[in-house]
Amino acid sequence: MFKKITLAFVSFLFLNSCAIKSNNFSATDWYAYLKSSNERTDPSKAYEFTEGLVRMYGDNLGYIATKKSYENFELSLEFKWNIEEKYHRNDAIKNSGVMYNIPSNSFDHIWPRGIQFQIKENTTGDFIFLDNITAKVNGKLVEAGASVVSPKFEANENPYGQWNKIVIRSIDGKCTQYLNGKLVNECVEVTSRKGRISLNYEGSPIDFRNIQLKNIH
């Protein structure tokens, strides 16, 4: 009992020394943007929010994005490909993504300006820098472009049917991406350091859960 109390107290001191504030997201923190209508809508009308899950499936290609912008944060969440037969759409390569640092003045479209943690068969963990966002990876400047990929350092995605944990840290222009506890990508001197966060639906049924954000000051 003494050990448990001590560990909890140490954790409390650590969290407070880093000035971290945790946020658990709910449906009211997001809006949905759909390609078909080219407008914002209530996310619960586009996708399913149930039993702690965000379930994205069907024909509504688009994303849900936070209403607020964030700077200097750690975002963690879990995803799993939804392979239930009733949600099956096609046999294309499964594809999705988590975007962050979407500038507040970036208009909604497919896909907005920002940085994407690519979620895709065989390439989960890649950076995708969209709409001329640049950064340095391994000391080399990523050239500006409409959609520029910087490959992951190594693979670490779990098999179909299993949950995968993503952690994204964006602090003072340095972005690190973790997959299932392993660092899979890192960049510095990124040109977009704050903004909205989105979960993308690109036609592959996918579930998200345990979405948490820590503001780091």
Side-chain angles (χ1 to χ4, degrees):
M1 179 64 71
F2 176 75
K3 183 180 291 185
K4 291 182 179 178
I5 293 174
T6 301
L7 289 174
F9 183 65
V10 170
S11 296
F12 174 81
L13 288 178
F14 175 76
L15 290 175
N16 280 274
S17 68
C18 294
I20 295 176
K21 180 182 179 182
S22 296
N23 298 291
N24 294 315
F25 289 108
S26 67
T28 58
D29 296 303
W30 308 83
Y31 68 88
Y33 171 80
L34 304 181
K35 182 179 180 180
S36 58
S37 62
N38 192 30
E39 61 183 18
R40 295 185 179 187
T41 188
D42 183 336
S44 62
K45 294 180 179 178
Y47 306 109
E48 183 179 345
F49 290 74
T50 180
E51 299 178 348
L53 300 179
V54 180
R55 312 201 79 185
M56 307 179 83
Y57 57 85
D59 297 325
N60 287 325
L61 301 185
Y63 52 84
I64 61 170
T66 58
K67 296 175 182 178
K68 296 181 180 179
S69 291
Y70 299 92
E71 180 179 13
N72 292 340
F73 62 85
E74 176 184 290
L75 172 69
S76 64
L77 57 83
E78 294 174 279
F79 80 88
K80 180 176 68 173
W81 298 116
N82 182 342
I83 56 177
E84 295 179 49
E85 185 59 34
K86 63 181 178 179
Y87 298 120
H88 182 78
R89 294 186 76 245
N90 54 55
D91 294 319
I93 293 175
K94 292 177 174 57
N95 192 14
S96 180
V98 177
M99 286 197 64
Y100 56 102
N101 293 358
I102 303 171
S104 58
N105 61 354
S106 177
F107 65 93
D108 289 304
H109 66 291
I110 306 296
W111 303 99
R113 191 167 192 256
I115 306 164
Q116 183 179 149
F117 186 124
Q118 172 77 288
I119 301 175
K120 187 177 182 180
E121 291 182 81
N122 303 317
T123 59
T124 297
D126 288 1
F127 279 123
I128 302 182
F129 299 104
L130 292 154
D131 194 6
N132 297 310
I133 297 295
T134 63
K136 283 185 178 179
V137 179
N138 290 328
K140 183 178 179 181
L141 181 66
V142 175
E143 294 185 8
S147 179
V148 180
V149 176
S150 183
K152 64 187 182 303
F153 301 153
E154 57 183 313
N156 202 39
E157 185 175 353
N158 289 331
Y160 290 160
Q162 295 184 18
W163 288 98
N164 295 267
K165 184 173 182 179
I166 283 175
V167 175
I168 297 168
R169 295 192 181 109
S170 177
I171 303 172
D172 295 331
K174 179 180 180 179
C175 299
T176 50
Q177 299 189 161
Y178 295 82
L179 179 61
N180 298 319
K182 182 179 290 185
L183 178 66
V184 293
N185 226 330
E186 182 176 80
C187 70
V188 296
E189 298 182 24
V190 67
T191 55
S192 184
R193 301 188 176 194
K194 63 180 179 179
R196 303 190 303 277
I197 295 165
S198 77
L199 309 180
N200 294 353
Y201 176 61
E202 304 184 29
S204 303
I206 189 170
D207 296 340
F208 294 96
R209 72 178 185 184
N210 294 333
I211 305 166
Q212 298 185 4
L213 183 138
K214 298 175 182 178
N215 294 308
I216 302 174
H217 302 287

